[in-house]
Amino acid sequence: DAKKIFADKCICLVSRSPSFQVLRDALEELFILCFSPNGTSIPLWEIVAHMVSNVPLPTPGKDRILFSIENCLLSVQAPPKEGLPHADISFQPLLQCLDVDNLIRLFTAVLLERRILLRSNKYTLLTLVSEAICHLIYPFRWQHVYIPLLFFSGADYIDAPTPYMMGLHSGVDISGLTLDGVVVVDLEYNRISTSDDIPPIPDIELGFLRNEILKLLQPNVVGIDHIKANLGVISDQYAKTGNRIWEKSMTLK
């Protein structure tokens, strides 16, 4: 009998459009078809070829593009160019990894065009956080080296002298690198370390920015604090006027 030899296959979708969710949905459908007991009506590679060759990129501000993978209907759409940037990702992972103070420190370091190194033991997290940061600095754009997921053998690139934003799996040992001036962001332990200080945002602007972020993260808590603050002001005003001696001018007429 002839021996059957199985080879691993990997399907990777590459697109100029940052439509992460629809690409993820497409890969999940392909994965389901690969292991479906009923198989597919047409060969899997024909499905992939059709999607790559016949599904166009969405035109900004135009109707959404519809396409199907077997019996699953998918759609992709791009917002107008003059509107806010297309953010087909969740900002929740970034906000879950870093507290407000570290988020602002990272935001400041990015605006100062520092060398940013993100560390995590989850590959997906590195990409999601990198994309979220790039969207947060709108209307500015990160125009330097951008590698959300740096391959293991490319760890030496961390010593590059130019500004960059890179993501590296925390399993890669970088103890032999100097990391002079590099802002290392540990997403697993909510830590930011660097040999060069990150200058703080001026107090007034920092307080405003911090409060606005907290409103988004904890709207109910901030609302209660605001009510308490107002009650405190009213209480203080009452205390100041409550001990005054009654005068005839205060009599209601």
Side-chain angles (χ1 to χ4, degrees):
D1 295 338
K3 293 183 179 180
K4 291 184 178 180
I5 300 177
F6 296 92
D8 293 333
K9 292 182 179 179
C10 175
I11 300 176
C12 177
L13 297 180
V14 180
S15 173
R16 289 177 293 170
S17 175
S19 303
F20 293 98
Q21 188 58 50
V22 70
L23 293 176
R24 181 186 181 91
D25 292 342
L27 285 174
E28 287 181 349
E29 288 301 319
L30 292 174
F31 179 82
I32 292 173
L33 290 176
C34 284
F35 296 96
S36 172
N38 300 325
T40 60
S41 57
I42 57 177
L44 182 65
W45 291 111
E46 289 189 17
I47 298 176
V48 175
H50 172 78
M51 182 175 60
V52 173
S53 303
N54 298 327
V55 178
L57 288 175
T59 302
K62 300 297 182 180
D63 294 337
R64 66 180 59 191
I65 302 296
L66 298 175
F67 65 99
S68 64
I69 297 179
E70 198 70 357
N71 296 322
C72 178
L73 183 64
L74 301 174
S75 67
V76 60
Q77 188 175 20
K81 289 184 178 180
E82 62 273 10
L84 292 173
H86 181 47
D88 190 20
I89 57 170
S90 172
F91 291 87
Q92 187 174 3
L94 171 61
L95 299 174
Q96 287 178 333
C97 292
L98 299 179
D99 58 29
V100 175
D101 293 326
N102 275 338
L103 176 62
I104 294 176
R105 288 188 69 200
L106 175 58
F107 178 76
T108 305
V110 172
L111 291 181
L112 292 174
E113 299 180 326
R114 295 288 185 86
R115 290 179 291 164
I116 311 294
L117 179 63
L118 305 174
R119 303 298 307 273
S120 173
N121 58 15
K122 302 178 182 64
Y123 294 106
T124 304
L125 186 60
L126 293 172
T127 300
L128 291 176
V129 169
S130 299
E131 282 294 312
I133 294 170
C134 289
H135 282 83
L136 282 178
I137 63 174
Y138 178 83
F140 301 106
R141 296 180 61 186
W142 183 261
Q143 297 183 331
H144 302 287
V145 176
Y146 178 66
I147 309 177
L149 189 56
L150 186 64
F151 47 94
F152 282 23
S153 59
D156 290 339
Y157 291 170
I158 296 172
D159 281 336
T162 58
Y164 61 72
M165 188 187 305
M166 299 183 187
L168 183 64
H169 193 277
S170 55
V172 180
D173 183 18
I174 57 174
S175 58
L177 302 178
T178 57
L179 299 178
D180 186 24
V182 178
V183 179
V184 182
V185 183
D186 191 328
L187 298 174
E188 304 297 331
Y189 297 98
N190 183 31
R191 287 198 301 249
I192 295 180
S193 58
T194 178
S195 59
D196 295 342
D197 291 336
I198 301 174
I201 297 176
D203 291 341
I204 296 178
E205 287 76 9
L206 175 61
F208 176 78
L209 177 60
R210 195 174 191 281
N211 190 52
E212 290 299 312
I213 295 175
L214 287 174
K215 283 182 182 178
L216 295 174
L217 298 179
Q218 303 170 338
N220 295 331
V221 174
V222 174
I224 292 173
D225 289 343
H226 183 68
I227 293 174
K228 288 182 177 179
N230 288 339
L231 289 176
V233 172
I234 295 173
S235 177
D236 291 342
Q237 291 176 347
Y238 177 79
K240 292 178 181 178
T241 59
N243 295 328
R244 291 176 58 186
I245 299 175
W246 187 264
E247 300 175 359
K248 291 184 178 181
S249 59
M250 298 179 182
T251 304
L252 296 176
K253 296 182 180 180

